[in-house]
Amino acid sequence: MYPAPFDYHRATSVDDVLTLLAEHTDTAKLLAGGHSLLPVMKLRLAQPELLIDINDLDELRNISVEADHITIGAMVTHHTLATNPEIASAVSLLVEIAHVVGDQQVRNLGTIGGALAHADPAADYPAGMLALDASIVAMSANGERAIPIDEFFTGFLTTALEPAELLTAIRIPRTGDSFGAAYEKLANPASGYATVGIAVALTTDTAGEIDSIRIGVTGTGASAYRPTSVEEALIGSAGDNATLKAAVRTATDGIDVMEDKHGPADYRARVTQNLIRRAVFRALASANGA
Ligand SMILES: Cc1cc2nc3c(=O)[nH]c(=O)nc-3n(C[C@H](O)[C@H](O)[C@H](O)COP(=O)(O)OP(=O)(O)OC[C@H]3O[C@@H](n4cnc5c(N)ncnc54)[C@H](O)[C@@H]3O)c2cc1C
């Protein structure tokens, strides 16, 4: 199926994008890697009148590692994240996640900004961003703002981004010693999307017990979320099997667990619990230098 007709503009600067978004707020769409947008246009689920291509904006492809945070430009591709040595040493969870996004073609073109803006309920990065306590940097003609990740995913395919905003970068706080993280994913064998994906980032104290923990869940509900009751139950524990088993029981409380041909709700809920246990186990081992 072909998309509905549209005008096309290849943007030359961030200002160029912001001006066009202000003028065509409800009728324009940004084109990044196109791996999510073009399929929905072909299905005519989206019919933008204007496509603003942001692929020439090299300033959105920067990666910078500062003393207290890492900034990743919105147009950084999954392949770059999977292979960049600075990312590998500063935030290895992202490397782990980027490696399991789709296939090589998807990773070559798809971008982290596009993935977060699209907010597919089965996308991998949302879980990682929640675990890493990232913030999303957005710009519009009115200026720049940082959106805490806990406020970013607002529902099925929806985020806190305003229609005239460009996601420019993702900021992730640097971590110190006794930090461990892991991503566990049950991938759909056809598309690679997460049936369920769990990201865990934690720190341990001198006794090796969990000092702080953030868990991001993708695939289970209509949008990525943090099971905060599980996090609370694990703080102060050594993450032993009995504690973990008891803690994960509330992992889907209050969540309308998705049900589709890839798995009924009770199956997804169980996978969610089991993958949280695995991810916590691995993150703990890494924090404690095992
Ligand atoms: C076969 C296949 C398998 C896939 N498997 C996976 C998988 O396993 N895991 C996974 O997480 N994803 C998967 N994806 C999705 C893939 O990661 C996409 O690249 C990603 O979801 C969207 O990124 P994009 O750069 O292609 O964005 P686009 O498709 O260009 O844009 C997506 C949406 O975001 C908006 N947008 C893009 N950039 C910005 C910006 N900077 N600011 C504001 N809005 C913006 C666009 O207007 C559009 O609405 C798969 C895709 C395909 C086709």
Side-chain angles (χ1 to χ4, degrees):
M1 198 157 158
Y2 294 105
F6 56 87
D7 290 330
Y8 171 86
H9 176 82
R10 197 154 180 120
T12 52
S13 67
V14 167
D15 280 349
D16 186 21
V17 175
L18 301 183
T19 306
L20 280 171
L21 280 179
E23 283 168 8
H24 305 270
T25 306
D26 297 321
T27 51
K29 278 264 175 211
L30 299 171
L31 175 67
H35 270 82
S36 294
L37 180 58
L38 297 184
V40 295
M41 285 175 64
K42 285 183 177 175
L43 292 168
R44 305 224 172 177
L45 297 171
Q47 301 192 16
E49 288 171 17
L50 173 64
L51 264 197
I52 307 170
D53 187 336
I54 55 175
N55 278 276
D56 283 348
L57 305 188
D58 288 340
E59 60 268 53
L60 299 184
R61 294 189 196 274
N62 291 335
I63 292 175
S64 72
V65 179
E66 314 286 333
D68 60 347
H69 67 271
I70 301 132
T71 305
I72 299 166
M75 288 300 288
V76 171
T77 62
H78 312 321
H79 173 74
T80 299
L81 286 173
T83 54
N84 182 287
E86 279 189 299
I87 294 291
S89 70
V91 57
S92 61
L93 179 65
L94 263 189
V95 175
E96 196 181 334
I97 293 175
H99 264 295
V100 295
V101 173
D103 54 31
Q104 191 59 51
Q105 271 179 308
V106 173
R107 291 194 290 275
N108 282 345
L109 274 181
T111 65
I112 184 165
L116 292 171
H118 189 62
D120 192 295
D124 295 291
Y125 291 114
M129 295 300 118
L130 285 166
L132 291 168
D133 198 12
S135 41
I136 303 297
V137 185
M139 273 181 99
S140 72
N142 298 325
E144 183 179 287
R145 68 178 176 134
I147 309 167
I149 199 70
D150 287 343
E151 295 167 20
F152 187 71
F153 301 109
T154 52
F156 181 74
L157 296 176
T158 45
T159 71
L161 279 177
E162 296 292 340
E165 278 182 322
L166 167 71
L167 192 167
T168 54
I170 298 98
R171 264 190 219 130
I172 299 172
R174 292 291 301 269
T175 51
D177 295 337
S178 306
F179 172 85
Y183 186 60
E184 288 285 339
K185 170 179 182 177
L186 176 68
N188 176 315
S191 69
Y193 275 104
T195 301
V196 175
I198 305 291
V200 168
L202 55 77
T203 56
T204 52
D205 59 21
T206 47
E209 292 175 345
I210 297 173
D211 211 16
S212 67
I213 179 165
R214 290 177 65 98
I215 303 172
V217 178
T218 195
T220 304
S223 70
Y225 71 96
R226 281 174 60 208
T228 48
S229 58
V230 179
E231 296 172 355
E232 281 157 20
L234 288 173
I235 288 178
S237 86
D240 55 282
N241 222 359
T243 310
L244 262 174
K245 247 184 166 168
V248 297
R249 282 196 197 115
T250 61
T252 53
D253 281 7
I255 300 299
D256 193 5
V257 178
M258 286 210 293
E259 184 147 40
D260 57 22
K261 64 183 176 191
H262 307 303
D266 60 345
Y267 168 76
R268 263 203 172 81
R270 216 176 266 218
V271 173
T272 305
Q273 295 186 7
N274 287 337
L275 293 190
I276 292 177
R277 285 166 59 195
R278 277 195 214 172
V280 171
F281 188 75
R282 266 207 306 124
L284 254 175
S286 144
N288 290 332

